[in-house]
Amino acid sequence: MTKRSYINGLPLVLLLSGMSTPAFAGSEDVVVENAWSRASIGVNRPGAAYMTVRNTGEDTVTLTGLTTPLAVMPQIHETKTNADGVSSMAPADEITIEPGQSVALEPGGLHAMLMKLQNPMIEGETFPLTLTFSDGGEVTVEVPILGIAARGPES
Amino acid sequence: MQRRHVVQYGAAGVGAVALMLGVGWWRVDGPGAPKPAGQRPLPLSAMDFRLTDHEGNEVGPETLIGRPTMVFFGFTYCPDVCPTTLSDISGWLEDLGDEAARMNVVFITVDPERDTVEAMAEYVGYFHPAIRGWTGPANQVARAAEGFRASYERVPTEGGDYTMNHTASVFLFDAKGELVTMIDYHEPREFAVPKIRRALTEVVEGAT
Ligand SMILES: [Cu+2]
């Protein structure tokens, strides 16, 4: 699997955040790996995307949110399954990643929930997903869309 | 934040169903008491509900008796748990190979408002061909969940939509309709497939 992560949109970030200094405290060292998502049926159902977010730097980073042209309301969600086996899903709190650590967004746990899709998610295509961090930095990853029954980034 | 009350189908299940018919199934808190530990699904022969499969056939618990059965509750607007479980089930069925053809595999929606027969047909079509999708009137879905001791709850989401909390375990029954075991969400495949084999090989004749 090739790494599909890259960092872009720096001037835009500065413009939007109104920051006077280009020095981000950590998010420039965030790498997103193994991003994938499942195709959707139309646009009425929400989509979900998964990935590993790795902090390769020396500063703690905090993932605060998502943006994407694909969905009006992208949100980091967490699925929890209780002792009775009942699964529920809720917006996740801010996600802090220590230096050298990574956080997995994976089925049944954290996921990028893509609510109010603007376009259907079509197998074989990709879409850009931007992760925003508390230091004002952003990391955009191009997320491959796999089949509806995909089980992971390689299937 | 999220409302946490969960529809419970317990000893007072009949009362809960009656109440549900009156005030709408997703608004009901049920008898209120937490589910007693170890409360097991009924045998299929003791369940009573009428649903429609994704090809328009009338089905019920008796449809399942005679072959080993795997049942999962979910809904097609579910972005995470349901496609994950259905693709897990598809993988287990692939591992089982020809044996999978001897099983009933049923996905029962807990969201019949959106999951019409057509929606179920389109959705299950993306997974293993052995998987059947069942839907029907809300009160019949409630009766099915009651029989399996499954619970579900409608939860509003930001922006006016809603999602469903629901039991995510996979139920396994033998050919007589007796519960063999359950596969919990997150259970590794190396445990799941042997459990399914157990359901497939459970001796039927002479038991009870
Ligand atoms: Cu979600």
Side-chain angles (χ1 to χ4, degrees), chain A residues 77 89 111 113, chain B residues 79:
Chain A
H77 266 202
M89 205 169 50
H111 53 276
M113 176 91 164

Side-chain angles (χ1 to χ4, degrees), chain A residues 11-123:
Chain A
L12 182 65
V13 175
L14 294 176
L15 190 70
L16 293 178
S17 63
M19 285 177 62
S20 55
T21 155
F24 295 120
S27 63
E28 71 278 11
D29 293 319
V30 168
V31 174
V32 178
E33 295 166 338
N34 294 329
W36 65 285
S37 61
R38 297 191 184 97
S40 70
I41 300 174
V43 295
N44 291 331
R45 293 172 175 83
Y50 306 101
M51 67 209 71
T52 301
V53 185
R54 188 177 301 284
N55 179 3
T56 66
E58 320 242 285
D59 299 300
T60 297
V61 297
T62 303
L63 176 59
T64 53
L66 303 171
T67 58
T68 175
L70 177 68
V72 176
M73 225 169 55
Q75 240 177 16
I76 299 167
H77 266 202
E78 184 164 20
T79 298
K80 288 182 177 157
T81 305
N82 71 13
D84 288 332
V86 177
S87 283
S88 59
M89 205 169 50
D93 295 329
E94 291 185 341
I95 296 164
T96 299
I97 313 172
E98 302 291 332
Q101 300 297 303
S102 60
V103 163
L105 277 61
E106 58 190 2
L110 291 167
H111 53 276
M113 176 91 164
L114 308 169
M115 290 175 285
K116 301 204 181 296
L117 292 179
Q118 308 265 49
N119 304 106
M121 298 172 72
I122 295 168
E123 183 173 354

